[in-house]
Amino acid sequence: GHPNAIKEENTQFVPTEKTITAIQSINDKLMVFTESETFLLLPSVTTEDGGIVNIRQIKLDEGVGCLSPNSITKVGNTLVWVDRNGVYQSNGVNIQKISTDINNLFTDYLTNPLTKFYAGGGIGAPPAAGLRHNYDITTERNINVSYDVTNNLVFVSIPEQNYVLVYQNGWSIWTFDSMLQGGTEGGDTAISVK
């Protein structure tokens, strides 16, 4: 990016209804977020010394915001972030929801398919107490978003629930809970679903 695109001595009042939760630069513009609003700040005139004479403000969305500064990352010339209703991306012009396939995660919950598969199919023992059967983010606020440029993966981590959402041409859930437990039965090693 261009770290001097927006100089600090140029201040701008943004008429938000709530407290600002995140600010991120994108394509020489600034996107400003509250928990439920998104603004775009456009520098319109730059002086010879790099100062900005005027900043135009555009309210991009009144229903989409960002949870925190940790809930947003850059993916090339695009921003990807999480708010209470989903995961979004924008190039600084349009906002697009990219979490439609996992919408239940934000409105209710998603079921862990492995615990249901093994227990329901009679393979191994039923899942152990304490193993998470469902995933949600309805009450989570400590969500972190990062980008792996080498593998073109976006990671949305929910540390309190020990899982990561991974986006690359669709969504995957990576859990950090073990699904198997081992022991011995009559001298043989037995593995069952945890």
Side-chain angles (χ1 to χ4, degrees), residues 18 22 24 42 50 69 78 85 94 134 136 144 152 175 181:
K18 298 183 179 179
Q24 184 69 52
L42 302 157
T78 303
N85 299 309
N94 298 314
N134 301 313
D136 70 78
N144 301 292
N152 193 31
T175 180
Q181 62 187 3

Side-chain angles (χ1 to χ4, degrees), residues 125-166:
L131 178 62
R132 180 167 296 283
H133 298 285
N134 301 313
Y135 300 105
D136 70 78
I137 69 156
T138 56
T139 60
E140 298 297 330
R141 294 293 179 241
N142 188 23
I143 294 174
N144 301 292
V145 180
S146 59
Y147 177 61
D148 175 355
V149 67
T150 304
N151 297 302
N152 193 31
L153 299 170
V154 174
F155 297 100
V156 178
S157 66
I158 298 85
E160 288 86 6
Q161 295 186 31
N162 292 328
Y163 74 96
V164 174
L165 297 169
V166 182

Side-chain angles (χ1 to χ4, degrees), residues 16-84:
T16 64
E17 293 177 17
K18 298 183 179 179
T19 303
I20 292 173
T21 57
I23 299 174
Q24 184 69 52
S25 66
I26 183 72
N27 302 324
D28 296 329
K29 304 169 198 136
L30 279 181
M31 288 186 74
V32 178
F33 301 89
T34 70
E35 66 181 41
S36 61
E37 302 166 287
T38 303
F39 291 86
L40 182 67
L41 277 61
L42 302 157
S44 56
V45 178
T46 305
T47 62
E48 290 179 18
D49 67 349
I52 296 171
V53 175
N54 191 18
I55 297 178
R56 249 181 9 154
Q57 297 180 10
I58 300 170
K59 192 170 194 177
L60 290 180
D61 203 293
E62 289 188 35
V64 174
C66 183
L67 294 177
S68 74
N70 295 330
S71 300
I72 189 167
T73 193
K74 282 188 179 180
V75 178
N77 290 324
T78 303
L79 295 179
V80 175
W81 71 92
V82 178
D83 90 339
R84 67 181 186 275

Side-chain angles (χ1 to χ4, degrees), residues 72-145:
I72 189 167
T73 193
K74 282 188 179 180
V75 178
N77 290 324
T78 303
L79 295 179
V80 175
W81 71 92
V82 178
D83 90 339
R84 67 181 186 275
N85 299 309
V87 183
Y88 299 86
Q89 68 179 11
S90 178
N91 60 2
V93 179
N94 298 314
I95 296 175
Q96 177 187 9
K97 188 173 187 176
I98 60 172
S99 60
T100 304
D101 292 341
I102 57 169
N103 197 50
N104 283 353
L105 183 71
F106 297 90
T107 59
D108 196 14
Y109 63 87
L110 292 178
T111 302
N112 181 343
L114 292 178
T115 58
K116 302 299 182 191
F117 171 78
Y118 284 114
I123 301 171
L131 178 62
R132 180 167 296 283
H133 298 285
N134 301 313
Y135 300 105
D136 70 78
I137 69 156
T138 56
T139 60
E140 298 297 330
R141 294 293 179 241
N142 188 23
I143 294 174
N144 301 292
V145 180

